[in-house]
Every structure is written in C-alpha cells, then in structure tokens.
Amino acid sequence: MTDSPPGRTRQKTTHQDGDRLLASTARAAWMPMAATATASAASAAATLALPAVLAAAVTSALSGRGVHAAAWQLGLVLAAGTVADLTGTLAGAASTASAITSLRLRLTGHILSLGATATRRLPAGELANRLVSNTSVVASTPVSLLRTAVGLITSAGGVVALLLVDWQAGLAFLIGVPIAMIVIRRLVTRLSGLFDRYQAAQGRLAARLTDTLAGIRTVQASGSAGREIARVLAPLPDLSAAGHALWRAQARGVWRISLIRPLVEVAVLAVAGLGVADGRLEPGQLLAVAGYTLLGLSFIDHVDALMDFSRARSAGRRVSEVFALPVPAPGTRPLPDGPGALSLRGVTVLDDQGEPLLDRLDLDLPAGTLTALVGRSGAGKSTLALLSGRLIDPDRGDVLLDGQCLRETDPAALRDAVAYAFERPALLGGTLAGAIAYGLPAAGRDDVQAAARAAHVDDVVRRLPRGYDTPAADALLSGGELQRLGLARALVRDARLTVLDDATSGLDAVTEAQVTRTLTVDMRGRTRFVVAHRATTAARADLVVWLDRGRIRAQGTHRDLWRDPAYRALFATATAPATEATLATAAVATVPASLEEEPCPPRP
C-alpha cells in the first residue's frame, strides 16, 4: 500500500500555472472564441480601410471626380465595421459566459472531490473568493486578450499604412514608440506583483468574514460585534496599502503615457503638414496620415487591458493553487462483508507546516462496540474521525475497515459502509425529510421517520406547520435539534460503522440520555465511534481512547481511566469543576429502568 506524499504544505504555483489555466479556459470556449476572433478580424480590416477610403473620398470631393463611387465605398466600410463590431460584442459575451460556466463547474467539481481536504488547507471564505471572484476574472480574460491582440495588430497595421502613405511621417512616428513601450512594460511589471498582494489580502478578509457570518448567533449572544469587526478588518491595512500602491503606480505610468501620445501626434502631423505645403502630399493624404497615426497610437489604449492581464494572471495563479491540491485517488475494490472493525496502522497526519496532528498512531476499534474518543482541544480527535471514513487520507500509514485499506476501497461502497454525524450539520436536501435522507435516495418516508424517532427529533419535526416537508432553510431549530437531525441522517443509513464527531454536544442532559439509549441499546451490534466531550458519553462506551497531542495516551474503560486526575480534568470546567459529575448524576437519573444494567459513570 502506497503512502501519500508527506506533508500538507500547499503546492507552490507560479504565474506560469495561471497562464496555463488561462489557455485551457480559452480552449474550453473555443467555438464562441472563434466567432469572436472572426468578427474582430473583420472589424480590424474595416478600421484599417477606413482612413484610406476616407482620404479617397476627400480627394474625389475636392477634384469632383468619382464622388459617388467614393461615397459608396465609404458607406460599405462603415456598415461592415458596424456589423462586425456588433457580432463581436455578442460572440464575446457568449464566450465569456461559456468560459465562466466551464471554469466554475471544473473548480466546483475539484473542490467537492477534495472534500474535507480543501477546507483544511484553505478557509471556506478563501475558496468562495476564488470560486466566484477569481474565476470571473480568469474566464473574462481570453476574450479581453483576443480583443487586445486584434487591437495591437490593427495598431501595427496602422503604422505600416502610415509608412506607405508617407515614410517621413512614419519615421517621425517610430521615433516616439520605443519610449512609450518602455514606460508600458515597466508599468505592467510593477502592477503584476501589486495585484498579487491585493488579491491575497482580499482573500484573507473574505475568509474572516465567512467565519464570522457562520457564527453570527454566537457573536450576537456574546455582544462581541465590535471585536469581530476588528478581527474581520485586520487585513484591511494590507488591502489599503496594496490598493494605494496600485493607484500610485498607475498614476505614474498614465501621466507619462498621456504626455508621449500628443507629442508623437504633433511630430507626425508637423512632418505631414510640411509635405502638403511642399506638394509631396495631397490634402486627402494628410487626412489618411492623421487617421493612421491615431490607429498606430491605439496600442496605448490597450494599457488598461494589459494591466487587467496582470490581475488575471494573479487570479489564475490563485485558482491554479486550488487545482494543484491533489485529489485522493479513488479505490476500485469492493468492500468485503464484515462487522465494522476499524484499524489504524502507523497513521501520521501533518498540518500545513509539517507538524504532526496525529503521530504514528496504532488503534483497533473492535467490531460492534461503542468507542469514545476523548482529549483536549487540538489533540487530533476530529482528524481521526475524518480518517475513519476516508474523508481525508493519512500522510503515512493505513486505515483499514474489516481488514481492507480504505485507499483501495471503492468510494460508493465506503459511503454505504460508513455514516457520519457532525457537530454542526448542514441541512442539505431541500426539505427536512430530504435532509435526513440526503445521500440515500432509496430511503422512503417510513425510513426517514424511523431514523428521526431513533434520534429523538420526530416530535420536533411534527410540530412544524409542514412537518417533514418543511424547507430546511425555513426551519428555525436550536443547535441541539440540528444535531439530532444530523444524527438521524447517519442512522437512516444503517451503516456498519457510524462516526459521531462531537455530534451530541448541543443536547441537554435528558435528551442526551435518550440519544445514549439509541447508541448503546438500539445500535448494539454495530460499530460506533464517538468523539466525546462529556463524561456521561464516555461512561456509556465499551472502550475509551484518550488522545493527547496526536498520540494515544491511554485506553480502557471510563471507570478505569477515571482514577487518573489528568483524565478527570478533561471533563472539568474552569468555573465549576464538579459540573460534569453533577450532569452525569442527573443524566443517570433520567435513564429508563431498562438501562440500569448498563455501567454508569462513577462519582468522583
């Protein structure tokens, strides 16, 4: 069995990765891009022909010969240019929309394939920023670059036409162009790094805001809005500094470019005017020189597009950083029949800095037992819970279910075999019935209601005006009620291994005792793995695993471990050390008589 690469450091991405993403985005929308290119080329041809046709019309008008033919030519060129511009605008909009849709679908699919790995490496707010804002910038860039390329070709064509009309005026034009090119190059190079800084600060701010909105009720209840505002806006000075640096760089570059342009125009028109005065040029040709000079200088108008390209490269790098996160390779082997025995062999999980979250862990969860995982915050409990159903992979070592490595197991078979309930479940699926049956389309209404009764949330749902048909978004539920719905979603699967990641922390003592009956009696024979913070939960478990700094400090029954003062301290609070003992006593008093044979938590 192969190990995944050690370390969870994010893969380094460069602007070349962003450039490759831009190219692949353009290829994904090649049909509307081809239409845009054709229309833009037609528009460029009409634009290049216009000064010459206009000069011929003026010459014809002054001479009185061929006026009608010149007027028709002028009208046709103007009409062709208008139609081409309109077609290019519509095709460009279609191309951008197609590219945005394609890129967002690709990125969404990749993020969902990463699963919990994505949010462990990048905050949810960062992912949202990259999925919405950065993809929009990247997807709109191919059309912008296409139009910029056509504009630069048109500008070059204008210079060639200017040299053909009057090489002396063309030479005067070429003298000023290198200066403008140097200024533009320096500006674009400077802006590229500044855009990186700006978007990074923007992403940090979005991540903090998302975290705060997710806990808005806690913020309101704690009266900590001021502190949260300060925390969310902490990246603002960096954002402001990067923004002001962008504005200063643009201001310095733009005034220099704005100065070069009229100087070049004056020089060219002066040379052409002298040509008309000494008879070298006709008046109509002077008009052509003026038109082609403007076309030649139009490359300056695309400086904004080049600056946008710098921003797009930065956005492309940020999106590429998400695509660079490796998707766990799906297994192909069916899961053999078994009772749900879970084993970990030499499992190590590293954080982004290479520090171990779990360190060479060996653990066996006997089939059909209730195992409680306890430990202080940061001990690695949730990481171990995520490993149990391959929501993440270890950096080293193997996780096995009924003797088979999870990496080799077909994902569909694994989802059928392992069910999860979380501390803060997301109610997906539309209605409350859909939320309970989420991921199990075969579940009927009877199955849903039976699972809700087992989780002791059926009465809560039935009290709602629309019962199980209540839209999940409209259901005003407490944290404990949400947790019970999440537990019902796990129970409806009837899996061989059920993992509860702190999924009963929001329950009161009476409800917890009722749910404990479900876990200890109704689910007897199935393997249950519970991340626990309460002594009552640990006391009901067949086995308690004590995790400390990513290692197993001890394991055994709650009664045996209770003799250790450090173990007892896990369940004490800073303000009321005896609270858990009191709760344990209260919880035991509410357990039905049929549970009296179960071991009770010892009194300290």
XYZ file of all heavy atoms in Angstrom, residues 217-290:
537
model
N -24.781 34.063 15.338
C -25.612 33.991 16.545
C -24.747 34.062 17.803
O -25.117 34.693 18.789
C -26.454 32.716 16.533
C -27.572 32.725 15.493
C -28.430 31.499 15.563
N -27.671 30.298 15.254
C -28.209 29.072 15.213
N -29.494 28.909 15.466
N -27.470 28.020 14.906
N -23.596 33.408 17.734
C -22.677 33.475 18.872
C -22.169 34.889 19.077
O -22.046 35.376 20.209
C -21.492 32.524 18.638
O -21.988 31.199 18.459
C -20.520 32.558 19.806
N -21.891 35.584 17.969
C -21.412 36.972 18.058
C -22.468 37.851 18.710
O -22.178 38.659 19.599
C -21.048 37.498 16.656
C -20.702 38.986 16.711
C -19.872 36.713 16.082
N -23.736 37.667 18.264
C -24.813 38.475 18.822
C -25.021 38.162 20.302
O -25.183 39.060 21.125
C -26.101 38.226 18.041
C -26.080 38.818 16.627
C -27.355 38.484 15.872
O -27.927 37.419 16.027
N -27.786 39.419 15.042
N -25.018 36.881 20.629
C -25.266 36.488 22.012
C -24.146 36.946 22.940
O -24.379 37.238 24.109
C -25.419 34.973 22.097
N -22.925 37.023 22.405
C -21.781 37.414 23.221
C -21.572 38.919 23.262
O -20.738 39.409 24.027
C -20.508 36.746 22.687
O -20.662 35.350 22.633
N -22.309 39.655 22.433
C -22.115 41.099 22.363
C -20.715 41.467 21.898
O -20.151 42.478 22.327
N -20.162 40.635 21.004
C -18.772 40.829 20.585
C -18.658 41.346 19.161
O -17.659 41.103 18.485
C -18.002 39.511 20.716
O -18.628 38.497 19.944
N -19.692 42.060 18.686
C -19.674 42.546 17.305
C -18.473 43.441 17.047
O -17.826 43.351 15.989
C -20.978 43.297 17.009
N -18.160 44.310 18.010
C -17.023 45.215 17.821
C -15.720 44.471 17.646
O -14.908 44.791 16.767
N -15.506 43.438 18.483
C -14.271 42.658 18.371
C -14.213 41.904 17.053
O -13.155 41.796 16.429
C -14.156 41.674 19.547
C -13.956 42.340 20.891
C -13.403 41.354 21.917
N -14.249 40.181 22.083
C -15.273 40.096 22.913
N -15.623 41.165 23.645
N -15.975 38.988 23.034
N -15.376 41.384 16.625
C -15.393 40.638 15.369
C -15.138 41.553 14.168
O -14.463 41.177 13.223
C -16.735 39.911 15.200
C -16.818 38.626 15.963
C -15.730 37.648 15.562
O -15.611 37.313 14.368
O -14.964 37.228 16.445
N -15.705 42.752 14.215
C -15.449 43.712 13.134
C -13.957 44.002 13.048
O -13.370 44.044 11.960
C -16.250 45.003 13.355
C -17.753 44.742 13.157
C -15.775 46.113 12.422
C -18.637 45.900 13.523
N -13.343 44.207 14.207
C -11.895 44.472 14.220
C -11.114 43.284 13.677
O -10.135 43.449 12.934
C -11.446 44.808 15.638
N -11.546 42.065 14.021
C -10.846 40.876 13.539
C -10.998 40.708 12.037
O -10.033 40.421 11.324
C -11.370 39.630 14.259
C -10.585 38.355 13.972
C -11.261 37.148 14.600
N -12.489 36.812 13.895
C -12.523 36.038 12.805
N -11.408 35.562 12.286
N -13.673 35.744 12.233
N -12.249 40.892 11.557
C -12.502 40.737 10.115
C -11.715 41.768 9.314
O -11.168 41.472 8.244
C -14.011 40.854 9.829
C -14.265 40.957 8.322
C -14.763 39.665 10.407
N -11.649 42.985 9.837
C -10.996 44.072 9.092
C -9.492 44.144 9.344
O -8.837 45.067 8.852
C -11.644 45.411 9.463
C -13.123 45.566 9.103
C -13.615 46.960 9.473
C -13.359 45.310 7.615
N -8.945 43.187 10.070
C -7.500 43.205 10.327
C -6.665 43.222 9.042
O -5.634 43.890 8.987
C -7.111 42.017 11.207
N -7.076 42.508 7.960
C -6.285 42.576 6.723
C -6.473 43.879 5.945
O -5.837 44.067 4.904
C -6.799 41.375 5.895
C -7.573 40.526 6.839
C -8.121 41.461 7.875
N -7.379 44.758 6.426
C -7.685 45.966 5.665
C -6.464 46.862 5.439
O -6.314 47.420 4.340
C -8.803 46.749 6.356
C -9.533 47.796 5.506
C -10.130 47.159 4.270
C -10.620 48.480 6.326
N -5.576 47.061 6.433
C -4.391 47.877 6.153
C -3.548 47.328 4.998
O -3.053 48.090 4.166
C -3.617 47.848 7.480
C -4.675 47.626 8.515
C -5.671 46.716 7.872
N -3.390 45.993 4.936
C -2.655 45.391 3.821
C -3.380 45.627 2.500
O -2.762 45.927 1.478
C -2.480 43.887 4.038
C -1.554 43.576 5.199
O -0.753 44.458 5.569
O -1.634 42.459 5.743
N -4.719 45.473 2.541
C -5.515 45.709 1.332
C -5.397 47.158 0.895
O -5.227 47.462 -0.295
C -6.979 45.347 1.614
C -7.940 45.372 0.428
C -7.645 44.228 -0.518
C -9.393 45.279 0.907
N -5.485 48.079 1.864
C -5.389 49.502 1.556
C -4.007 49.856 1.009
O -3.884 50.597 0.029
C -5.682 50.326 2.810
O -5.517 51.699 2.576
N -2.962 49.300 1.643
C -1.602 49.600 1.186
C -1.385 49.114 -0.239
O -0.809 49.833 -1.070
C -0.589 48.954 2.128
N -1.864 47.887 -0.525
C -1.718 47.361 -1.890
C -2.534 48.178 -2.884
O -2.080 48.463 -3.997
C -2.147 45.896 -1.931
N -3.762 48.583 -2.480
C -4.590 49.390 -3.369
C -3.975 50.749 -3.666
O -3.962 51.200 -4.816
N -3.475 51.419 -2.627
C -2.847 52.717 -2.844
C -1.582 52.590 -3.693
O -1.295 53.465 -4.529
C -2.507 53.366 -1.499
C -3.688 54.003 -0.831
N -4.548 53.306 -0.032
C -4.172 55.282 -0.862
C -5.510 54.109 0.423
N -5.305 55.316 -0.074
N -0.837 51.493 -3.488
C 0.350 51.276 -4.316
C -0.041 51.074 -5.781
O 0.651 51.556 -6.690
C 1.129 50.066 -3.794
N -1.164 50.373 -6.009
C -1.660 50.210 -7.378
C -2.015 51.556 -7.993
O -1.650 51.854 -9.148
C -2.892 49.295 -7.377
C -2.646 47.786 -7.316
C -3.950 47.044 -7.061
C -2.033 47.301 -8.621
N -2.722 52.372 -7.227
C -3.128 53.675 -7.762
C -1.905 54.545 -8.061
O -1.859 55.239 -9.083
C -4.041 54.388 -6.761
C -5.356 53.689 -6.571
C -6.016 52.907 -7.454
C -6.162 53.706 -5.385
N -7.181 52.421 -6.916
C -7.307 52.897 -5.647
C -6.045 54.315 -4.140
C -8.304 52.695 -4.706
C -7.048 54.109 -3.207
C -8.165 53.309 -3.486
N -0.920 54.538 -7.164
C 0.279 55.347 -7.392
C 1.032 54.872 -8.635
O 1.486 55.693 -9.450
C 1.189 55.298 -6.165
C 0.673 56.089 -4.971
C 1.756 56.256 -3.913
N 2.162 54.972 -3.351
C 1.603 54.423 -2.287
N 0.604 55.043 -1.664
N 2.036 53.265 -1.819
N 1.150 53.551 -8.775
C 1.848 53.019 -9.947
C 1.116 53.378 -11.234
O 1.742 53.763 -12.238
C 1.993 51.500 -9.820
N -0.205 53.267 -11.220
C -0.985 53.614 -12.406
C -0.871 55.106 -12.711
O -0.728 55.506 -13.871
C -2.448 53.223 -12.199
C -2.679 51.720 -12.185
C -4.122 51.362 -11.901
O -4.991 52.222 -11.860
N -4.379 50.087 -11.699
N -0.916 55.924 -11.658
C -0.830 57.377 -11.877
C 0.510 57.759 -12.502
O 0.565 58.567 -13.443
C -1.036 58.109 -10.549
N 1.602 57.172 -11.976
C 2.919 57.488 -12.528
C 3.037 57.039 -13.979
O 3.613 57.741 -14.816
C 4.009 56.822 -11.683
C 4.274 57.501 -10.341
C 5.580 57.022 -9.741
N 5.554 55.595 -9.437
C 5.190 55.110 -8.256
N 4.822 55.924 -7.275
N 5.192 53.806 -8.033
N 2.482 55.871 -14.279
C 2.582 55.382 -15.653
C 1.676 56.120 -16.606
O 2.075 56.447 -17.737
N 0.449 56.425 -16.169
C -0.534 57.028 -17.084
C -0.137 58.438 -17.494
O -0.268 58.807 -18.672
C -1.931 57.017 -16.422
C -2.899 57.876 -17.211
C -2.454 55.590 -16.334
N 0.369 59.259 -16.575
C 0.694 60.631 -16.977
C 1.861 60.658 -17.957
O 1.927 61.507 -18.852
C 0.967 61.519 -15.763
C 2.318 61.366 -15.101
C 2.610 60.664 -14.000
C 3.548 61.994 -15.516
N 3.934 60.766 -13.677
C 4.537 61.586 -14.586
C 3.906 62.838 -16.556
C 5.866 61.994 -14.693
C 5.225 63.250 -16.646
C 6.196 62.829 -15.735
N 2.781 59.682 -17.814
C 3.892 59.630 -18.763
C 3.403 59.216 -20.148
O 3.819 59.787 -21.157
C 4.956 58.647 -18.254
C 5.688 59.147 -17.014
C 6.506 58.056 -16.371
N 7.163 58.522 -15.149
C 7.740 57.736 -14.260
N 7.741 56.419 -14.443
N 8.320 58.244 -13.192
N 2.521 58.207 -20.151
C 1.969 57.766 -21.432
C 1.124 58.881 -22.056
O 1.179 59.128 -23.273
C 1.137 56.489 -21.231
C 2.048 55.339 -20.805
C 0.383 56.119 -22.494
C 1.306 54.100 -20.363
N 0.332 59.551 -21.232
C -0.516 60.642 -21.735
C 0.317 61.786 -22.305
O -0.142 62.508 -23.202
C -1.408 61.169 -20.597
O -2.242 60.149 -20.097
N 1.532 61.954 -21.817
C 2.412 63.004 -22.345
C 3.034 62.591 -23.681
O 3.206 63.421 -24.584
C 3.508 63.311 -21.318
C 4.514 64.411 -21.688
C 3.795 65.750 -21.859
C 5.599 64.513 -20.628
N 3.384 61.299 -23.796
C 4.031 60.825 -25.028
C 3.084 60.895 -26.209
O 3.488 61.305 -27.321
C 4.524 59.379 -24.820
C 5.649 59.359 -23.772
C 4.995 58.766 -26.130
C 6.042 57.976 -23.339
N 1.824 60.558 -26.018
C 0.878 60.457 -27.135
C 0.723 61.768 -27.911
O 0.901 61.772 -29.148
C -0.467 59.971 -26.594
C -1.510 59.746 -27.662
C -2.712 59.053 -27.074
N -3.631 58.613 -28.108
C -4.538 57.668 -27.956
N -4.624 57.053 -26.793
N -5.326 57.322 -28.945
N 0.391 62.892 -27.275
C 0.234 64.129 -28.065
C 1.546 64.594 -28.697
O 1.526 65.204 -29.779
C -0.276 65.144 -27.039
C 0.078 64.589 -25.711
C 0.042 63.118 -25.866
N 2.682 64.314 -28.061
C 3.966 64.709 -28.661
C 4.193 63.974 -29.973
O 4.660 64.569 -30.968
C 5.107 64.416 -27.674
C 5.155 65.293 -26.416
C 6.288 64.835 -25.489
C 5.342 66.771 -26.791
N 3.860 62.671 -30.003
C 4.020 61.900 -31.239
C 3.061 62.418 -32.321
O 3.446 62.583 -33.495
C 3.773 60.405 -30.975
C 3.759 59.620 -32.281
C 4.845 59.851 -30.051
N 1.807 62.692 -31.925
C 0.837 63.198 -32.901
C 1.294 64.520 -33.503
O 1.216 64.724 -34.733
C -0.526 63.370 -32.214
C -1.215 62.067 -31.861
C -2.536 62.304 -31.136
O -2.828 63.477 -30.836
O -3.263 61.343 -30.884
N 1.768 65.418 -32.658
C 2.228 66.732 -33.154
C 3.401 66.558 -34.102
O 3.455 67.191 -35.179
C 2.610 67.642 -31.959
C 3.342 68.892 -32.455
C 1.356 68.045 -31.188
N 4.353 65.676 -33.770
C 5.525 65.479 -34.630
C 5.122 64.927 -35.991
O 5.595 65.399 -37.049
C 6.513 64.542 -33.935
N 4.232 63.918 -36.002
C 3.817 63.301 -37.261
C 3.033 64.284 -38.121
O 3.278 64.421 -39.335
C 2.984 62.040 -36.980
C 2.372 61.495 -38.272
C 3.850 60.971 -36.338
N 2.081 64.975 -37.510
C 1.269 65.914 -38.297
C 2.107 67.093 -38.798
O 1.837 67.639 -39.884
C 0.099 66.411 -37.453
C -0.969 65.346 -37.133
C -2.043 65.924 -36.226
C -1.596 64.808 -38.419
N 3.129 67.468 -38.032
C 4.005 68.550 -38.500
C 4.754 68.128 -39.757
O 4.858 68.892 -40.745
C 4.990 68.930 -37.392
N 5.282 66.912 -39.752
C 6.007 66.407 -40.928
C 5.054 66.286 -42.108
O 5.391 66.680 -43.248
C 6.662 65.055 -40.611
C 7.248 64.427 -41.884
C 7.752 65.225 -39.569
N 3.824 65.736 -41.867
C 2.855 65.586 -42.959
C 2.380 66.942 -43.453
O 2.191 67.148 -44.672
C 1.672 64.751 -42.472
N 2.191 67.911 -42.554
C 1.768 69.246 -42.977
C 2.804 69.902 -43.866
O 2.455 70.558 -44.873
N 4.090 69.728 -43.539
C 5.144 70.255 -44.405
C 5.115 69.565 -45.765
O 5.401 70.190 -46.805
C 6.516 70.056 -43.743
C 6.779 70.904 -42.481
C 8.114 70.521 -41.842
C 6.794 72.399 -42.868
N 4.723 68.258 -45.752
C 4.612 67.535 -47.020
C 3.509 68.087 -47.894
O 3.649 68.166 -49.127
N 2.404 68.488 -47.305
C 1.319 69.099 -48.082
C 1.758 70.463 -48.597
O 1.492 70.840 -49.759
C 0.048 69.228 -47.208
C -1.020 70.027 -47.956
C -0.487 67.849 -46.847
N 2.492 71.199 -47.756
C 2.935 72.545 -48.142
C 3.901 72.511 -49.320
O 3.837 73.365 -50.211
C 3.577 73.237 -46.947
N 4.804 71.519 -49.356
C 5.765 71.480 -50.466
C 5.295 70.608 -51.612
O 6.061 70.318 -52.541
C 7.148 71.028 -49.969
C 7.131 69.621 -49.369
O 6.190 68.856 -49.637
O 8.073 69.276 -48.618
N 4.025 70.112 -51.551
C 3.453 69.374 -52.665
C 3.746 67.890 -52.656
O 3.355 67.173 -53.580
N 4.394 67.376 -51.604
C 4.701 65.953 -51.554
C 3.449 65.133 -51.260
O 3.322 63.991 -51.695
C 5.755 65.708 -50.467
C 6.330 64.282 -50.485
C 7.407 64.075 -49.421
N 6.848 63.890 -48.092
C 6.930 64.775 -47.110
N 7.569 65.927 -47.337
N 6.391 64.545 -45.926
N 2.493 65.689 -50.535
C 1.264 65.008 -50.172
C 0.059 65.819 -50.617
O 0.090 67.054 -50.648
C 1.199 64.800 -48.656
C 2.269 63.911 -48.004
C 2.096 63.926 -46.492
C 2.197 62.496 -48.541
N -1.024 65.097 -50.935
C -2.292 65.739 -51.240
C -3.064 65.948 -49.934
O -2.802 65.280 -48.926
C -3.111 64.868 -52.189
C -2.471 64.675 -53.563
C -3.323 63.812 -54.469
O -4.384 63.318 -53.974
O -2.937 63.599 -55.624
N -4.040 66.870 -49.944
C -4.811 67.111 -48.717
C -5.485 65.846 -48.177
O -5.573 65.634 -46.970
C -5.848 68.152 -49.148
C -5.182 68.874 -50.275
C -4.377 67.848 -51.010
N -5.977 64.998 -49.078
C -6.612 63.751 -48.648
C -5.627 62.827 -47.945
O -5.962 62.134 -46.978
N -4.373 62.830 -48.421
C -3.354 62.003 -47.791
C -3.020 62.501 -46.377
O -2.679 61.708 -45.493
C -2.087 61.971 -48.649
C -2.269 61.185 -49.954
C -1.020 61.211 -50.799
O -0.502 62.295 -51.121
N -0.538 60.027 -51.168
N -3.123 63.829 -46.179
C -2.922 64.360 -44.832
C -3.966 63.777 -43.870
O -3.655 63.434 -42.734
C -3.011 65.884 -44.851
C -2.901 66.576 -43.475
C -1.544 66.295 -42.837
C -3.128 68.085 -43.633
N -5.192 63.650 -44.370
C -6.247 63.052 -43.559
C -5.952 61.579 -43.263
O -6.171 61.091 -42.149
C -7.593 63.184 -44.291
C -8.851 62.776 -43.509
C -9.003 63.614 -42.262
C -10.080 62.930 -44.400
N -5.404 60.866 -44.282
C -5.026 59.467 -44.075
C -3.905 59.356 -43.053
O -3.903 58.456 -42.187
C -4.609 58.830 -45.400
N -2.913 60.257 -43.121
C -1.815 60.259 -42.156
C -2.350 60.457 -40.740
O -1.944 59.766 -39.799
C -0.782 61.346 -42.503
C 0.182 61.578 -41.341
C -0.012 60.964 -43.753
N -3.291 61.396 -40.583
C -3.878 61.640 -39.257
C -4.615 60.408 -38.752
O -4.495 60.018 -37.571
C -4.820 62.840 -39.326
